[in-house]
Amino acid sequence: MNITTVAKRAGVSTATVSRVINDSAVVSPATAAKVRKVVRELHFLPDGNARSLGSGRSGMYGLIISDITNPYFPELVKAFEDIAVEHKQEILIANTDYDLERMEHCVIRMLQRKVDGVAIMTSEMAGHLVNSLSRRSIPLVFLDVAPAFAVSSVVQVNYASGIQMGVEHLVELGHRDIGFISGPLDLHSAQIRQKAFRSMLKQYKLKSLPGSVQEGNHRIEGGHAAMLRMLLATKRRITAVMGSNDLTAIGAMGALRDQGLAIPHDVSVVGFDGIELGGYTQVPLTTLSVSRKELAALAFNMLYQSSRQSSDAKPVISSVEPTLLIRASTAPPRP
């Protein structure tokens, strides 16, 4: 069965059927309803390539993420896909694993599939790859990173605000010796979080113990190893620790338990992201929660609108605010 069969049954031209399939406003509501009725009766499935030829758009958007094993990103993917389905669009997902070479392959895949736009939800984007996309006038949306390209929009997470809330929470509980495990410091977002932490210590006139700030890798094993280094360097004087993300904090919790330390009675722990898993750890994790639904909606809507506007559309910058989610992993320090 092809589009000609649908056109004959509906008594319209094949061009009209094509316009209805592509949701064109040119067709009257009555005619569109008649064509859709025939499409349902014949169980007609439009050819994706034909649709893209007719509309000039592929109906597909690229989504590039850093680490598919981190629950934060599958939750983001689901939220992004949900809103794409609502708009009758598809998504092509690529995982970089924080590797620039792999990132390049991801970009090539996007170009080959002629996506209508790309949401780059990762921090390791190289400039020449951005050039490769921007030269083709493909709408871009970045998470956190803001390259100096007129064609790119940005969704920012207010990491500094989140870190501030986390430190304030610990200080209000009575903690003074607070440690921090960052992400890889070659990532812009990790640098922002560590800088915000140090700034908050100065604001509260708290001294940083030698070795109380360690670098992790945004993964559980990295948080575990960094926590062990911190305990050794600070001679276990730390009473609270913040992780740059939830996986880091969960790894730190494992290291604390391995060393016979109780959470939160010996050491309080705070994460960042608000992944669902954090609520079901042995001691539910206090965290700075970032709404994946809000991130996904902002990113998708930016792409969707940009792909339907003129090439001189101005980039948009939006911000998402974290919220403090207090659970059982934080408490006042022991006297």
Side-chain angles (χ1 to χ4, degrees):
M1 184 189 305
N2 54 36
I3 196 170
T4 304
T5 305
V6 175
K8 286 181 178 178
R9 176 75 70 90
V12 298
S13 68
T14 54
T16 298
V17 175
S18 179
R19 292 189 186 101
V20 172
I21 291 171
N22 289 298
D23 295 319
S24 172
V26 176
V27 183
S28 69
T31 301
K34 181 168 64 172
V35 171
R36 291 193 182 100
K37 182 174 182 291
V38 173
V39 166
R40 288 193 299 272
E41 290 173 350
L42 297 179
H43 305 288
F44 175 68
L45 296 176
D47 180 82
N49 292 327
R51 290 187 63 177
S52 65
L53 287 172
S55 66
R57 295 188 293 267
S58 66
M60 182 179 294
Y61 292 88
L63 177 62
I64 299 177
I65 60 174
S66 295
D67 182 9
I68 197 68
T69 64
N70 182 342
Y72 177 87
F73 288 106
E75 290 171 10
L76 178 63
V77 169
K78 182 183 183 305
F80 194 90
E81 185 177 38
D82 286 345
I83 191 169
V85 169
E86 288 177 13
H87 289 76
K88 299 179 181 178
Q89 307 296 303
E90 299 178 43
I91 62 170
L92 177 64
I93 303 167
N95 174 55
T96 70
D97 204 31
Y98 298 106
D99 182 83
L100 279 174
E101 185 177 345
R102 187 163 171 171
M103 164 66 82
E104 187 159 5
H105 291 301
C106 294
V107 171
I108 291 171
R109 282 180 60 206
M110 302 295 175
L111 296 176
Q112 289 174 337
R113 297 296 294 273
K114 302 187 187 308
V115 294
D116 294 332
V118 183
I120 302 164
M121 304 285 102
T122 175
S123 299
E124 68 275 6
M125 191 69 171
H128 74 281
L129 299 180
V130 181
N131 271 322
S132 183
L133 288 167
S134 60
R135 280 199 304 269
R136 291 165 172 78
S137 299
I138 297 175
L140 305 175
V141 172
F142 290 87
L143 175 64
D144 302 324
V145 182
F149 293 102
V151 293
S152 61
S153 293
V154 180
V155 180
Q156 297 174 331
V157 176
N158 194 341
Y159 293 111
S161 172
I163 295 296
Q164 178 180 341
M165 285 188 282
V167 173
E168 285 177 349
H169 170 61
L170 293 172
V171 170
E172 287 170 1
L173 289 173
H175 292 280
R176 294 297 178 267
D177 295 320
I178 305 171
F180 184 76
I181 303 174
S182 76
L185 290 176
D186 57 343
L187 299 182
H188 180 64
S189 61
Q191 295 169 18
I192 293 174
R193 281 174 263 200
Q194 186 181 103
K195 183 179 178 181
F197 175 77
R198 292 187 184 278
S199 176
M200 288 305 297
L201 291 187
K202 288 181 180 179
Q203 181 175 321
Y204 283 106
K205 299 180 180 178
L206 301 178
K207 292 184 178 180
S208 179
L209 294 172
S212 62
V213 177
Q214 297 284 338
E215 183 176 355
N217 63 0
H218 276 164
R219 291 174 173 151
I220 290 176
E221 72 276 8
H224 188 281
M227 189 72 247
L228 291 177
R229 295 195 303 270
M230 187 184 300
L231 290 172
L232 181 64
T234 61
K235 300 177 182 178
R236 297 196 178 198
R237 287 174 57 193
I238 290 293
T239 65
V241 63
M242 288 190 69
S244 189
N245 70 348
D246 283 346
L247 290 189
T248 296
I250 291 170
M253 292 167 80
L256 292 168
R257 286 193 296 268
D258 290 348
Q259 295 299 306
L261 297 170
I263 304 165
H265 303 296
D266 293 319
V267 181
S268 288
V269 183
V270 177
F272 202 120
D273 279 347
I275 62 174
E276 188 176 356
L277 174 65
Y280 299 93
T281 49
Q282 188 174 24
V283 180
L285 178 65
T286 294
T287 185
L288 284 310
S289 180
V290 179
S291 171
R292 260 74 75 206
K293 287 185 178 180
E294 186 178 356
L295 274 177
L298 284 170
F300 180 84
N301 286 328
M302 286 176 178
L303 290 179
Y304 191 73
Q305 296 302 323
S306 294
S307 66
R308 281 159 171 72
Q309 294 173 356
S310 60
S311 57
D312 59 351
K314 293 182 179 180
V316 178
I317 298 178
S318 296
S319 182
V320 175
E321 295 292 328
T323 56
L324 178 63
L325 185 56
I326 300 174
R327 296 193 181 114
S329 69
T330 51
R334 283 181 175 177

